[in-house]
């Protein structure tokens, strides 16, 4: 049965009107996306921007190729982790010099969680014996796996070789407040992801941070799905630690280095175990003993990956031209418009016996920049979408996840993607065997 053409025309008129009113529309041109592709996966790997490509060529040919080792000074490579960190600080409401770009989320979690456990159990100056009482890292059951895995590794290490035990405790999202109330005195660090990667649920950073602080708990936020797409106020919320990656909404490129934030008030007391030379207060003294840098550089470990970080540095400049509140407004508008197109188009077909169900908050303004649907064939549906030029992703076991990166998507993209998705659902194209072949990366 053909889709109601009256409906298609009405939706197209709406999409074009929304495009015309979009204050960020001119940025679409900044990205180098293949023609005819609708990229709804900027939440997993942001696309290449023109300025990032220019820098990639420049850093390889000019800075590395011609400048060789002199570029550490002449192009200030040595300060790049902090230069890039400061750009991320502006985007996350952090003080200047409180964010550093380095390593991955996983590695940065190791540094900050160990530092947090040590800090929480520091001997008070007048007590004779160390009596570690805060051993728990409290997190959410459905947090991103690496966040939980890193605590499990730390738990094994700390419990076998140190006097500071570590214990991962995970609870459901709606039990976090109860767990803080009940176990507050034994919790060292509350580790949460601001926006849930599966369903896009957003935590209230302000209230959870202040509740944890009342119990003497340090708070670490993972900003993987927030940085560059949602307003974040690390300083205003008095957050202790944060980590994030830069290859998602920040468009830094595959495997681009992550970032770490430490509240300036904690930098003096902090001690992180990956005490590499780049975190030394004076690396080029080549001194025998480690003495940490006073500043955020103390989180550095080894030599930074300059090529990747330079590309990220250029990609971040696009955020100087936009305001994070406009980005959030557009992200919610794209998200809501896509959802409404899917609902209206689905309703124009006879009712399905195998429909998609919403696996997130129904209100686009209450979720991160994504929509999630549940279906037992979610993997095959995702593959069928990709086959038709709509890139989304699948998250095991049964989630089809569609991301809305507001820098490079238009409202007509939303309509086209919704038309393709509803057609795939109506025709059950996803039952074809070629869409069931599993790839290593989903
Ligand atoms: C993407 C993501 C990660 C990835 O961690 P890496 O160490 O950068 O690979 C971690 N946590 C969350 C919440 C994520 O969404």
């Amino acid at each position: 049965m053909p889709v109601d053409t009256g409906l298609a025309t009405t939706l197209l008129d709406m999409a074009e009107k929304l495009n015309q009113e979009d204050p960020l529309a001119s940025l679409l041109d900044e990205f180098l996306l293949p023609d005819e592709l609708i990229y709804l996966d900027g939440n997993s790997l942001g696309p290449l921007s023109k300025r990032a490509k220019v820098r990639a060529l420049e850093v390889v040919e000019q800075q590395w190729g011609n400048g060789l080792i002199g570029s550490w000074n002449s192009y200030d490579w040595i300060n790049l982790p902090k230069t890039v960190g400061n750009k991320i600080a502006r985007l996350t409401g952090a003080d200047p010099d409180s964010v550093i770009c380095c390593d991955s989320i996983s590695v940065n979690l190791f540094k900050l969680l160990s530092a947090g456990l040590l800090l929480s159990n520091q001997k008070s100056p007048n007590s004779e014996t160390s009596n570690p009482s805060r051993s728990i890292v409290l997190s959410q059951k459905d947090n991103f796996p690496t966040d939980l895995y890193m605590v499990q590794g730390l738990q094994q290490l700390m419990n076998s070789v140190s006097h500071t035990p570590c214990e991962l405790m995970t609870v459901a999202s709606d039990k976090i407040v109860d767990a803080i109330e009940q176990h507050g005195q034994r919790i060292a660090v509350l580790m949460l992801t601001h926006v849930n990667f599966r369903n896009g649920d957003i935590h209230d950073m302000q209230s959870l941070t202040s509740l944890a602080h009342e119990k003497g708990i340090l708070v670490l936020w993972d900003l993987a799905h927030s940085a560059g797409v949602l307003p974040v106020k690390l300083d205003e919320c008095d957050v202790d630690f944060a980590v994030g990656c830069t290859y998602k909404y920040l468009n830094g490129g595959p495997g681009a280095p992550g970032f770490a934030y430490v509240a300036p008030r904690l930098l003096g007391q902090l001690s992180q175990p990956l005490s590499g030379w780049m975190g030394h207060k004076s690396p080029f003294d080549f001194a025998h003993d480690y003495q940490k840098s006073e500043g955020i550089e103390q989180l550095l470990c080894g030599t930074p990956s300059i090529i990747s970080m330079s590309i990220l540095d250029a990609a971040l400049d696009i955020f100087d031209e936009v305001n994070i509140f406009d980005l959030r407004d557009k992200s919610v508008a794209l998200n809501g418009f896509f959802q409404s197109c899917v609902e209206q188009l689905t309703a124009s077909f006879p009712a399905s016996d195998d429909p998609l169900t919403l696996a997130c908050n129904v209100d686009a303004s209450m979720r991160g920049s994504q929509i999630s649907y549940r279906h037992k064939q979610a993997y095959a549906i995702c593959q069928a979408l990709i086959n038709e030029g709509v890139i989304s992703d699948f998250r095991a076991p049964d989630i089809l996840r569609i991301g809305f990166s507001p820098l490079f998507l238009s409202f007509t993209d939303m309509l086209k993607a919704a038309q393709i998705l509803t057609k795939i659902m109506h025709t059950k194209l996803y039952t074809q065997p070629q869409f069931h072949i599993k790839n290593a990366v989903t």
Side-chain angles (χ1 to χ4, degrees), residues 104-106 144 146-147 193 222 224-225 247-248:
S104 59
I105 289 188
S106 309
F144 192 89
T146 207
D147 299 52
T193 296
D222 183 334
H225 290 275
Y247 47 79
K248 292 175 180 165

Side-chain angles (χ1 to χ4, degrees), residues 4 17 20-21 43 87 203 224 241 266 279 305 307 356 361 369 372 384 387 394 399 422:
D4 174 350
K17 182 160 177 290
Q20 275 160 18
E21 292 165 357
N43 51 320
K87 291 184 182 180
H203 278 304
F241 306 124
L266 295 176
S305 39
I307 293 175
L356 288 170
N361 197 303
S369 202
S372 306
N387 187 54
F394 162 74
I399 300 283
T422 49

Side-chain angles (χ1 to χ4, degrees), residues 63 69-84 100-101 277-284 286 297 300-306 309-310:
Q63 300 188 15
I69 197 157
S71 292
W72 281 101
N73 292 316
S74 55
Y75 288 98
D76 207 24
W77 285 352
I78 193 68
N79 288 313
L80 202 54
K82 212 160 149 183
T83 307
V84 172
I100 192 98
C101 180
W277 71 308
M278 285 289 156
H280 192 278
K281 66 192 283 196
S282 178
F284 288 89
F286 295 101
E297 294 91 330
L300 290 175
C301 181
T303 307
S305 39
I306 295 300
M309 210 177 284
S310 299

